[in-house]
Amino acid sequence: MQFFLNGNFSIKNSGIEHAQIKRAKLFDKNNQDYKLVFKDWSPLLHYYLNNHHNIDDKHILNMFDYLQNSCYVENHKIGYKDVDLGCDDDEVSYQKTADDKYFVFQKNKIMARINLFSISEDKGLLAEGRVSSVERFDDFGNLYKVDFYDYRGFVSMTQWYTPDNKVGTETWYTPDEKPAIEDYYRIDGTGKINKSGWKLIDNNGAANVLSNMEELIVEFFNRINAQYFSKKAANIFIMDRSDIYEEALKELHLPAMKVLHLHNCHSGDAQSPNTSIMNNNYEYTLTNLNDYDAVISATNRQTKDVQERFEPSIPLFTIPVGIIPNNHFKEAKIDMDKRKQHSIVVTARVAPEKQIHKIIEAMGIAKKYVPDINLTVYGYIDHTNDDFAIKSINKMIDKYDLKDAVSINEYTNDVAKVQRSGQIYALASTMEGFNLAMMEAQSQGMVGVTHNVNYGPNELVVNDQNGYVVPFGDTKAMADKFVKLFNDPELIQKMSNQAYELSKRYSETQVYKGWQTFQASMDTTWQKKVKNIKPQINKGLEKME
């Protein structure tokens, strides 16, 4: 079994989650089994993956689901009147609020508040009217517990409150209402209330006490590794987010193949990958690289740099995280004169490291020669560093009087439609791991203009063929390329044609060849590793008469 390891999944995701979904679809198409593994409790996980990405439950493995025996649950709706309030219906009354909550009263006393699943970006979710949580109050109006429902229709977790209105204990239940997991809060040495332990409860009521979440993850991994263990084929754990699992994987009782997947630059400074400090998300894994079995990078450049810097004794593989469906190449191409003229598109988080303000600055410089140059941005705004990203953007818009030329829009799920209408896809990031958006834009015939940034953009864009790679940080050079392309219809069309053509490097067929090479290597290594397995003791353990 191949396990793709992540933390969580939501309606808004980063490039890692998008890459995992693309990989899942590729494996589905080639009849390869896999599990998307998540450690965080998530009442909407199955909803997101089933409804938004058509991922079947058999490929979803959440740690809490597994330990709660709720990986496979028949989906049924729990509406606000379906909640068991412990009394007859004619004893209670409901009062709906403006924000779609329901207060429940018994003899003019509040006994509960019922909340519904609702996400502003998913209008259909609220329309379903499913209960997400029920807050329960005692006869004095004090909150004493909150029941949290899984979207699929059962109480998944209950928070029990202390008299001073603090969470004291959390209990996770099986769908048939048996306690499966507990955590509890205690006052620590500093006088603060913090989570101080976990308890796993088996079907027979036996409890396994654990100190922290890390121990819970180790227990989970050991259970699934044992469940899927086979001497014929290895369990392969691919760490898409290594900082969550890197230490836990070293605690497996039975052997398995443990793989680091680099989704970002391995160093803190992408421009000095072999000399700068390590990216803290990968530091432990890279320091202990030979304790694992393989490394996967998305680009040839990064594979080469990892080999040169760390000289690992384990194999390195290059497999793009971007995948373009084979059928896409049969679609009609859209000529440049049919698109919005002199248009630049960016689909990315509005975050400091994306440096979108640098693209706007390049627009401002180019505006003298291309008066109607315009930019459309789609992506949610990162408010870190006192809103640095959006403030920098607004500053450049004001400096170059681009208020009518720049449009900042919310995250969109129809990226392809946006990219089919644009001409240039621009990128000025300080660091990238691959950049799915650039790859997808080129597959839609957009011409790339990017700073020479590691990793991905400077490999996706083949200079002078499907776009331009300008020196890192050189805003004037980027502006010059905007002017050159927009003022030469024949050139921009030629590069658009090449963008379509070079995108075939990332077709399903080509990317799957990389996975086949990787899997063949893992199989060979496993056959060597499995010979050294010492069997667990299973004799003489029965109860003696």
Side-chain angles (χ1 to χ4, degrees):
M1 180 64 69
Q2 298 194 64
F3 300 99
F4 307 150
L5 310 184
N6 205 330
N8 206 344
F9 197 94
S10 66
I11 194 167
K12 289 181 177 180
N13 295 293
S14 73
I16 293 178
E17 287 71 41
H18 289 296
Q20 284 189 312
I21 294 299
K22 288 178 180 295
R23 185 195 305 156
K25 297 296 185 184
L26 182 66
F27 275 44
D28 279 336
K29 188 167 185 176
N30 289 279
N31 299 313
Q32 287 282 319
D33 206 359
Y34 64 91
K35 301 284 186 184
L36 293 168
V37 179
F38 306 96
K39 74 171 181 64
D40 296 337
W41 174 66
S42 176
L44 282 170
L45 178 65
H46 289 262
Y47 173 81
Y48 293 136
L49 289 169
N50 293 164
N51 294 276
H52 287 257
H53 300 284
N54 199 30
I55 300 294
D56 192 271
D57 283 345
K58 69 180 181 180
H59 296 305
I60 303 171
L61 185 55
N62 175 271
M63 180 174 70
F64 284 87
D65 278 352
Y66 184 84
L67 299 173
Q68 291 175 256
N69 296 320
S70 60
C71 292
Y72 304 98
V73 177
E74 185 177 351
N75 190 334
H76 68 282
K77 175 182 174 181
I78 298 292
Y80 74 96
K81 285 196 173 181
D82 298 318
V83 174
D84 184 359
L85 297 167
C87 58
D88 295 334
D89 290 346
D90 57 5
E91 295 181 35
V92 301
S93 60
Y94 298 87
Q95 180 181 320
K96 186 178 181 181
T97 67
D99 55 352
D100 294 301
K101 302 178 187 299
Y102 291 87
F103 284 105
V104 185
F105 295 90
Q106 183 183 37
K107 297 179 181 180
N108 297 320
K109 285 185 178 181
I110 183 170
M111 62 182 303
R113 182 170 70 174
I114 301 174
N115 306 297
L116 306 180
F117 282 112
S118 174
I119 299 176
S120 60
E121 296 85 357
D122 190 342
K123 306 300 182 185
L125 187 57
L126 178 59
E128 291 189 36
R130 296 189 184 226
V131 173
S132 66
S133 64
V134 179
E135 301 165 76
R136 298 179 184 263
F137 303 91
D138 63 20
D139 287 344
F140 300 98
N142 299 311
L143 178 68
Y144 70 92
K145 77 167 181 172
V146 181
D147 293 326
F148 291 90
Y149 284 71
D150 189 282
Y151 168 83
R152 295 167 292 172
F154 64 94
V155 175
S156 179
M157 189 265 276
T158 295
Q159 287 181 335
W160 299 91
Y161 280 74
T162 61
D164 58 348
N165 202 36
K166 300 288 194 306
V167 177
T169 304
E170 294 173 320
T171 304
W172 285 262
Y173 298 94
T174 65
D176 56 358
E177 302 180 5
K178 294 180 180 178
I181 311 168
E182 287 186 359
D183 68 16
Y184 36 92
Y185 292 75
R186 297 290 184 269
I187 297 175
D188 63 17
T190 66
K192 296 180 180 179
I193 295 179
N194 282 310
K195 194 171 295 187
S196 61
W198 293 81
K199 183 165 64 175
L200 274 180
I201 305 167
D202 292 338
N203 290 331
N204 60 8
N208 181 9
V209 178
L210 305 169
S211 298
N212 48 48
M213 171 65 85
E214 289 69 29
E215 289 186 10
L216 187 68
I217 292 172
V218 170
E219 180 68 22
F220 167 57
F221 274 173
N222 272 307
R223 292 189 185 192
I224 62 173
N225 190 39
Q227 179 179 338
Y228 292 96
F229 183 83
S230 169
K231 289 187 176 182
K232 293 181 180 179
N235 286 333
I236 303 175
F237 291 87
I238 297 176
M239 295 181 286
D240 289 306
R241 291 194 185 276
S242 64
D243 55 326
I244 300 173
Y245 301 112
E246 55 199 359
E247 294 182 71
L249 283 180
K250 296 175 72 174
E251 301 296 324
L252 294 178
H253 298 154
L254 290 170
M257 306 302 288
K258 296 159 285 188
V259 180
L260 169 63
H261 199 308
L262 291 168
H263 285 269
N264 213 323
C265 184
H266 53 275
S267 63
D269 181 356
Q271 301 314 113
S272 303
N274 293 337
T275 55
S276 65
I277 61 171
M278 285 182 277
N279 182 329
N280 65 297
N281 292 311
Y282 299 127
E283 186 172 4
Y284 179 91
T285 321
L286 292 170
T287 302
N288 299 278
L289 205 51
N290 287 335
D291 292 339
Y292 302 92
D293 296 288
V295 179
I296 300 174
S297 304
T299 64
N300 292 314
R301 287 174 185 249
Q302 186 166 25
T303 298
K304 176 177 175 291
D305 286 346
V306 170
Q307 180 61 52
E308 288 183 358
R309 176 167 181 171
F310 301 104
E311 297 184 0
S313 59
I314 60 175
L316 277 63
F317 300 87
T318 300
I319 308 175
V321 294
I323 305 166
I324 303 170
N326 289 340
N327 288 338
H328 170 78
F329 299 102
K330 299 176 183 178
E331 296 176 4
K333 297 178 175 61
I334 301 174
D335 290 338
M336 280 287 154
D337 60 2
K338 300 295 192 300
R339 302 169 184 250
K340 184 178 181 181
Q341 294 301 290
H342 304 152
S343 60
I344 303 168
V345 170
V346 173
T347 54
R349 286 180 301 110
V350 181
E353 66 271 17
K354 297 297 182 180
Q355 295 198 130
I356 297 173
H357 65 285
K358 292 285 188 180
I359 298 171
I360 296 173
E361 183 178 21
M363 278 181 61
I365 297 171
K367 183 181 177 183
K368 178 179 178 180
Y369 306 98
V370 188
D372 62 342
I373 192 171
N374 58 91
L375 168 67
T376 306
V377 178
Y378 290 87
Y380 56 89
I381 297 175
D382 182 337
H383 295 288
T384 58
N385 297 331
D386 191 28
D387 279 325
F388 175 84
I390 193 65
K391 285 181 178 178
S392 298
I393 286 172
N394 290 333
K395 183 178 179 180
M396 285 300 172
I397 289 174
D398 291 341
K399 179 178 179 178
Y400 291 99
D401 190 23
L402 294 169
K403 183 176 64 176
D404 297 328
V406 176
S407 174
I408 308 294
N409 303 276
E410 284 292 320
Y411 181 96
T412 179
N413 286 314
D414 196 355
V415 175
K417 180 180 178 181
V418 170
Q419 293 170 340
R420 283 194 293 269
S421 65
Q423 293 185 309
I424 290 177
Y425 192 90
L427 199 146
S429 301
T430 59
M431 178 186 294
E432 290 289 348
F434 182 77
N435 201 278
L436 289 172
M438 172 70 83
M439 182 208 72
E440 291 165 351
Q442 291 177 317
S443 76
Q444 300 294 347
M446 294 190 73
V447 176
V449 178
T450 178
H451 285 175
N452 187 8
V453 60
N454 291 324
Y455 291 99
N458 53 9
E459 197 163 297
L460 288 161
V461 177
V462 181
N463 199 42
D464 286 322
Q465 292 189 44
N466 60 353
Y468 293 108
V469 179
V470 303
F472 182 77
D474 195 334
T475 307
K476 176 63 167 56
M478 176 171 278
D480 290 343
K481 298 307 180 185
F482 290 164
V483 173
K484 183 174 182 177
L485 287 165
F486 285 142
N487 285 332
D488 191 337
E490 185 175 330
L491 174 63
I492 198 171
Q493 182 58 60
K494 179 181 177 182
M495 287 196 167
S496 175
N497 294 341
Q498 278 296 95
Y500 279 118
E501 186 63 27
L502 288 172
S503 292
K504 293 178 181 177
R505 294 175 293 171
Y506 307 106
S507 69
E508 290 174 322
T509 299
Q510 289 301 116
V511 175
Y512 190 61
K513 288 179 181 178
W515 282 108
Q516 287 178 305
T517 300
F518 163 77
Q519 290 165 342
S521 175
M522 293 298 98
D523 287 343
T524 300
T525 304
W526 177 246
Q527 293 310 313
K528 296 176 182 177
K529 181 182 285 192
V530 80
K531 291 179 181 179
N532 299 318
I533 294 177
K534 295 179 180 179
Q536 299 256 311
I537 297 298
N538 55 24
K539 298 292 185 180
L541 303 180
E542 298 84 359
K543 182 179 179 182
M544 302 300 292
E545 295 297 334

